[in-house]
Amino acid sequence: MTDTQTINATVVGSANTYDQVAIPQCSIDIYPFEGGIYTITGGQILSLSMRKNIKSDMGEITVNLAPGGPNGTELTPSWTEIITPMSFFVLGMRRGQRHGITMVGVVTNISESQVWQPNGSVVRTIAVTGKDFGYFLAMFNYYSLFFLGAAGTELEGSVPTPSAGLPAVINAKLEGTPSSIALSWWNSIIAGPGSVLSQTYVPYKNESTVLFPKAIATLFEDYPVYIPPFGDSFFGTDGSWTAKFRNLFPFPWYEYFINTANNDLYSSLTTFSSGYGFTSSLLPKTVTASPVLVARINPMPILTSSTSDPTGTVVLDGIDTSAWESLILFQPESTQGTSIQTVFPFISSLAGFSESEVYNLFLINPTWFRALWGAAEGGNSSLMPFLFQYSAAGDPASIARYGFRVANPDISWFTDATGQQSESAKTQMGPFLSDILGRFASYYEPSPIMARCSMTLPLRPDIVVGNRFRTKPFKNDVSWDFYIEGIDHNFVFGGPSTTTLTLSRGLPTSVYADSSTTGILYNALKGNAMRQNGKYVIGTPPGTKLKPLSGIPPFAFQSWVAQSFPIYSTAQMVSGATN
């Protein structure tokens, strides 16, 4: 974040209409683990690439340095000798008044190459790679159930005998809501007193240290409705800590990622815990950033349910866009009020549409394990597959166009072998099932009419992933709103310095602006909207007699299939040929 932005503002506009022609700057503050402080600036930095995507485990930087070191090109020691693995770095970038700390992390590799060319010069190159704080969670997996039971008596402060149970040994929850388990596990195993990373530190300024628990901020957002206890063996599973968090916070209901941002970006959320504010020598001291572990509810617009159906069918008849609207909205530079002809909205853009994320049958089955064990409700004797015994929604019109594509995720929230949790919470399970089904369908249903875009701008270090971006990707067209999934900052000394955005969920701004149940956005989430002759309209293609998304009553999948029988009775049929 920069000091020119307003959190939750309607639009983050141009800080200075001349920013695009300002000279880009880049600076890396390096703190070797062994001690010392070094600042490497443009000129010494020949090129730098920083990559961050919210779907990746960690952000990365790749830096090419001029040969030599802090004393000059031909003098020792070289940067390769000074910078060591696990050195802490703070990356600051600026173009005019646009500036920000784009990443803090640790160096993972440094190398120097020399190529002696016959009858020519010597080519020397120093390369540095680094990771953000996602590195700490993606690289390690301590405390697995299989080892902890045997070592329980040896752990400092543990109970006298392992037979007292794993929760007593590790003082952390094994079941509960995702956020409660994550917080308990974070405090007991990762970053609390006596935890694995409690004494891990990064060196920072004058050889002082900042402990990992103090350095990183956390956001474990509570799910808005009741969730049955998490029954999976969270500590016994293989994989890194990142894999465990992704298991606790599954997509598309949650988003899990490590970010670098000002604490103000998330401070309004009640479950946010601030991190250490690191500064950059390139930027004003008021500009700070922290590594932030984010596990938040997916902010996309969703279908909601306000209707109770006596058959148990989930009726998705409302829409909620509040989380989407609260995201910061960025946009390209404004050309208003300037005569400089070189000011332009973007350098390059590649926008298009894809069917890659199309699904048209959404299944939520929290009692699947109960049915598998032959319980009274359904049981193994039922002719109907147990997948269709609980909440589901389907879109016959989409099946006609794209084929039969089932989305049936394996979510550990629902590991409820006896069914007691779902039985004892029937009054809460209704809202829960409608919420998760609504969020599930709402993410994938509109995807084929949503644009994806890769857009390259003059360097914009102020833009933060996980927010909105407004632009005009098509010539002479209206403005569109996108979701910022990824950012690549590329600095070249004496050359073009750019920011490339990975954008998704693109719709015209006017579509996102109408959150009524009669608007295009609501109908797009229901599968009842299309692009016809270049315009967004409500409805399905002419001649289509099949219905869009609707809830499927429990134990009634057969009757739902009857709605789409032409798809199965006529080979290779298309949506317009329903006779």
Side-chain angles (χ1 to χ4, degrees), residues 209-280:
T209 60
V210 179
L211 293 176
F212 177 88
K214 183 179 180 181
I216 191 168
T218 58
L219 173 62
F220 297 118
E221 193 167 1
D222 294 320
Y223 203 74
V225 297
Y226 168 83
I227 290 182
F230 184 96
D232 200 0
S233 180
F234 183 54
F235 289 91
T237 53
D238 295 328
S240 67
W241 292 340
T242 295
K244 294 177 187 294
F245 273 131
R246 292 197 185 280
N247 198 24
L248 267 178
F249 301 106
F251 182 83
W253 294 272
Y254 271 98
E255 283 185 336
Y256 167 82
F257 58 97
I258 301 290
N259 201 5
T260 298
N262 188 290
N263 284 317
D264 290 343
L265 184 64
Y266 305 105
S267 59
S268 62
L269 301 173
T270 56
T271 56
F272 177 74
S273 176
S274 298
Y276 190 92
F278 296 101
T279 62
S280 166

Side-chain angles (χ1 to χ4, degrees), residues 345-346 471-480 534-535:
F346 55 79
T471 187
K472 293 183 178 181
F474 306 108
K475 186 177 181 180
N476 300 324
D477 199 9
V478 299
S479 66
W480 288 55
K535 303 295 183 181

Side-chain angles (χ1 to χ4, degrees), residues 372-410:
L372 197 62
W373 280 97
E377 186 179 334
N380 292 332
S381 61
S382 174
L383 295 178
M384 187 65 63
F386 63 82
L387 290 175
F388 309 115
Q389 292 180 4
Y390 226 96
S391 295
D395 185 348
S398 175
I399 295 175
R401 174 181 289 189
Y402 300 106
F404 192 59
R405 303 192 187 187
V406 181
N408 180 36
D410 182 14

Side-chain angles (χ1 to χ4, degrees), residues 60-77:
E60 301 178 333
I61 63 168
T62 301
V63 189
N64 289 317
L65 301 178
N71 298 323
T73 303
E74 301 299 332
L75 300 176
T76 59

